[in-house]
Amino acid sequence: MQLIGGVILSLGWIPQIMQILQTKSVADLNIKSYLLMLLGISLMEAYAINLAGTGVGVAFLITNTMSLCVILLVIILIIRYRSYNRPKRVPK
């Protein structure tokens, strides 16, 4: 159940990523929210590595690692397209 739920949660970010790539717009996304999610998932990743090291929690490690990668991708896209969408200054 944990593996299935974790995969669904990780794949839930795919529509957001596809929209960013299609529109090249991140104007309505708040990078602070995604950075906080990255922090939380990173802390859970450390815990998942610890659990997997003891022989339990491998499914948690797999799904948490997927979530970490997806959130990192969204943050990279926000940084990339935030500068892409800024209006260019026109000299007077």
Side-chain angles (χ1 to χ4, degrees):
M1 291 300 251
Q2 198 281 322
L3 187 61
I4 294 169
V7 169
I8 291 169
L9 286 173
S10 296
L11 294 177
W13 292 101
I14 301 296
Q16 181 69 64
I17 291 169
M18 295 304 296
Q19 182 174 338
I20 293 170
L21 292 172
Q22 289 172 354
T23 64
K24 295 181 175 34
S25 175
V26 293
D28 293 335
L29 299 181
N30 187 329
I31 195 166
K32 292 175 189 171
S33 296
Y34 289 93
L35 290 172
L36 284 172
M37 283 189 271
L38 179 66
L39 176 62
I41 293 171
S42 296
L43 293 171
M44 289 190 328
E45 183 76 359
Y47 179 64
I49 291 169
N50 185 37
L51 281 179
T54 63
V56 295
V58 175
F60 182 50
L61 177 63
I62 291 168
T63 58
N64 201 68
T65 302
M66 288 174 58
S67 293
L68 188 65
C69 291
V70 173
I71 291 296
L72 275 171
L73 179 58
V74 172
I75 290 171
I76 290 167
L77 291 173
I78 290 172
I79 292 168
R80 165 125 168 52
Y81 290 120
R82 183 172 43 179
S83 61
Y84 181 84
N85 290 312
R86 287 196 178 136
K88 309 247 187 294
R89 288 189 173 175
V90 178
K92 292 182 180 183

